[in-house]
Amino acid sequence: TFTVTGSTVVFDGTTTLTSAGAAFNNIQVTGSLTLGDALDVNGLFDVDGTLDGNAGGPYAITAAGDVDFSAATAFNNPGLLQFDGTAAQTFSPGGLSFATVQNSNTAAQVSMVGTATVDQLTIDNLAILLLDDSAATVTVSVVSGVTNNGTLTHNGTNGVTLQGTAGGVPYSGNDVSWAAGAFTLGNIDYQTGVVPGADVALSLNNACTVDSLDFSGATAATFADNGNTLTVDTGAVNFTNCTATLGGTIIFTGTTNLTSAGNTLNNFQIGTASVGGDVTAVDALDIDGTFTIGSAASTAFDISSQTVNIASGSVDLTNLDTFTVTGSTVVFDGTTTLTSAGAAFN
């Protein structure tokens, strides 16, 4: 029998701990602690020294209270850090690297502050993870993926960055619960629609893929691609109620209704060498950058009843399979070489 109610165990030497399933209340590490098996902490888990959760493991850490690595001097990450409390919890990762971080607390919110690198970030159904930027920015770099079956949200005060450590890290499940304020995405394959219902200041710091992008539920959102590539692979793009600063490339690889809402597009591409695309202009378009049609079938561009301004240096419709122009006007307002490849204009 191990009775720990209200207690704190301080590991202030060099210790290997085999808890054999016994749960602790509060643990503080000021020395060097090596786990010999899985660890269960029901209260505060505060690492101010060295923790090795991987020697002989990796061994999981299950925490029902706050977890604080902000003063850790060294850390060899465990296989799993799981939050399973029944009250609010705070996670201070201290800029360290973790394997899997999983929020299984379905009774109250888990708040993450600071910076971390995570191999896999998982939010269970009914769990809430707040990227708490109320006091400082929050940056989460993800190696393998994000699975959001619950709620991922932010304060919108100082800014949040969610980024992959390399291109195309998958984000699956529910859309972020967007707040007004800065949120940056990069190297993320966002496998759901981005539909902010608040005036988020969304930006890219690297290439991203989204299923769709719809700002119409906001009132005064902003979007900046910072010269990066945005690929839209299934649904609509709607910049209504959004001021967009577009200096990169938008690639359409699905079936997209495009509402520019008066925003000027830079580089515009339908399809790639491996997948087609179908774009329908819902309102007038202004394209100031390159105009590209990918070589994969099938590609379609429907500008019926719309005015499209194109300043691109070259417009080559050779790879465009379907060009629907009823009632439309195309204005070439730059210095352009046009290869219509038999396509008829209105």
Side-chain angles (χ1 to χ4, degrees), residues 5 81 84 141 143 181 200 228 231 259 275 330 337:
T5 307
L81 174 59
D84 68 345
S141 300
V143 179
V200 65
N228 295 296
T231 300
T259 304
V275 63
V330 177
T337 299

Side-chain angles (χ1 to χ4, degrees), residues 220-236:
T222 63
F223 176 73
D225 64 15
N226 293 311
N228 295 296
T229 296
L230 175 68
T231 300
V232 182
D233 64 6
T234 58

Side-chain angles (χ1 to χ4, degrees), residues 60 103 105 112 116 145 188 245 328:
N103 181 11
N105 183 340
M112 175 180 164
I188 295 290
T245 304
S328 68

Side-chain angles (χ1 to χ4, degrees), residues 247-272:
T249 301
I250 300 182
I251 303 175
F252 302 94
T253 58
T255 300
T256 298
N257 290 331
L258 172 60
T259 304
S260 67
N263 290 286
T264 299
L265 307 176
N266 190 46
N267 300 331
F268 179 92
Q269 181 174 335
I270 300 176
T272 67

Side-chain angles (χ1 to χ4, degrees), residues 88-299:
Q89 296 177 260
T90 298
F91 175 36
S92 304
L96 299 173
S97 294
F98 297 81
T100 297
V101 173
Q102 181 172 354
N103 181 11
S104 302
N105 183 340
T106 60
Q109 178 175 275
V110 174
S111 300
M112 175 180 164
V113 298
T115 298
T117 299
V118 178
D119 185 74
Q120 172 68 40
L121 179 63
T122 299
I123 304 165
D124 289 351
N125 183 36
L126 301 179
I128 301 171
L129 178 62
L130 170 68
L131 302 179
D132 187 356
D133 63 328
S134 59
T137 59
V138 175
T139 299
V140 182
S141 300
V142 183
V143 179
S144 295
V146 178
T147 302
N148 178 18
N149 293 320
T151 300
L152 178 64
T153 189
H154 60 118
N155 297 102
T157 306
N158 288 287
V160 166
T161 297
L162 178 64
Q163 60 190 6
T165 57
V169 171
Y171 176 107
S172 62
N174 299 325
D175 190 15
V176 169
S177 181
W178 303 97
F183 199 108
T184 300
L185 291 171
N187 282 332
I188 295 290
D189 180 3
Y190 200 92
Q191 298 172 353
T192 188
V194 176
V195 188
D199 291 335
V200 65
L202 184 63
S203 63
L204 305 183
N205 68 9
N206 216 312
C208 281
T209 298
V210 298
D211 273 11
S212 61
L213 182 64
D214 185 358
F215 291 96
S216 61
T219 56
T222 63
F223 176 73
D225 64 15
N226 293 311
N228 295 296
T229 296
L230 175 68
T231 300
V232 182
D233 64 6
T234 58
V237 172
N238 190 340
F239 286 114
T240 301
N241 299 324
C242 176
T243 300
T245 304
L246 304 172
T249 301
I250 300 182
I251 303 175
F252 302 94
T253 58
T255 300
T256 298
N257 290 331
L258 172 60
T259 304
S260 67
N263 290 286
T264 299
L265 307 176
N266 190 46
N267 300 331
F268 179 92
Q269 181 174 335
I270 300 176
T272 67
S274 59
V275 63
D278 184 337
V279 175
T280 298
V282 177
D283 62 358
L285 301 181
D286 187 2
I287 302 169
D288 275 359
T290 59
F291 184 96
T292 304
I293 306 296
S295 58
S298 65
T299 54

